[in-house]
Amino acid sequence: NYVGLAKFFRACFYYNMVQEYGNVPWISKPLDVSDTAILYAGRDPRNVVMDSVLADLNFAIANISTTSDPTRSTITKWVAYGMKSRICLWEGTFRKYQEADASSTSWLQQAAAAAKAVMDSAGFSLNTGGNMAYRNLFISTAPLTNEVMLADVTSTSLGIYNDDNWYLTSATYGPRFNFIRTFINTY
């Protein structure tokens, strides 16, 4: 279970790095200070890194034992499936439209299969609360709905906060979005 969780987080880390930088060096073992060949290695081809990310996600799906979490704050098998669907869709469309790579079909089929596994087996559903369903998802004080797969839970009493506001508006850290007042008021 814990190795599966570690590989899930490694897959997410490399996915984010490939999104940000393109080709990156793939490091698949713990490093030692004397591993200078690996420490100063160049970038590996994108397909090597992303195939390794997919292998890590498949391992996580097969080995994470938690399948249900009412708080929606724990990495479960279904969260791993959801992340696999997102990453495979992203990589499949990149390979299809940027590289005209024949492997794009396989990536896109795996994205669909992972999404189908979540829809069929995980107990998640779409919030169907009428015209205000989207807004109510964010302002409701009721427990999280079955629509949320992984929540970033905050607690004033425990001193657990998030940095979304800083990330979204910071000139040096985030994308520096400038939301209009009417959009902010919807939350």
Side-chain angles (χ1 to χ4, degrees):
N1 182 57
Y2 293 111
V3 176
L5 288 170
K7 289 195 176 197
F8 171 83
F9 285 116
R10 181 171 70 177
C12 291
F13 171 79
Y14 274 99
Y15 167 61
N16 290 331
M17 291 300 103
V18 170
Q19 277 186 309
E20 188 75 23
Y21 304 110
N23 294 353
V24 295
W26 173 258
I27 300 172
S28 60
K29 67 177 191 131
L31 292 178
D32 195 49
V33 176
S34 62
D35 292 334
T36 55
I38 296 174
L39 286 171
Y40 296 107
R43 298 177 181 206
D44 289 319
R46 178 192 178 104
N47 62 341
V48 170
V49 176
M50 291 309 294
D51 289 345
S52 300
V53 165
L54 184 58
D56 277 355
L57 286 170
N58 287 333
F59 184 91
I61 289 167
N63 292 284
I64 293 176
S65 59
T66 307
T67 58
S68 178
D69 173 33
T71 67
R72 303 291 193 231
S73 61
T74 302
I75 305 297
T76 65
K77 176 183 295 286
W78 307 114
V79 170
Y81 266 115
M83 186 57 71
K84 178 181 178 181
S85 178
R86 174 181 292 189
I87 290 173
C88 286
L89 178 62
W90 182 78
E91 182 64 15
T93 54
F94 179 87
R95 289 183 184 199
K96 181 175 183 174
Y97 296 111
Q98 299 296 322
E99 298 179 343
D101 189 340
S103 66
S104 65
T105 303
S106 171
W107 281 85
L108 294 172
Q109 288 170 344
Q110 290 185 65
K116 181 91 169 117
V118 172
M119 291 188 300
D120 291 346
S121 306
F124 296 105
S125 62
L126 292 177
N127 183 4
T128 56
N131 294 338
M132 300 298 286
Y134 181 72
R135 182 168 195 245
N136 289 335
L137 186 63
F138 292 94
I139 64 170
S140 175
T141 57
L144 295 172
T145 67
N146 284 339
E147 185 173 279
V148 178
M149 291 181 70
L150 183 62
D152 185 6
V153 180
T154 60
S155 170
T156 305
S157 63
L158 295 174
I160 301 171
Y161 307 103
N162 69 42
D163 65 348
D164 279 347
N165 189 45
W166 180 58
Y167 173 75
L168 294 173
T169 60
S170 170
T172 58
Y173 177 59
R176 196 174 191 174
F177 294 141
N178 291 306
F179 298 115
I180 60 174
R181 184 163 187 80
T182 53
F183 178 80
I184 296 299
N185 287 340
T186 63
Y187 290 87

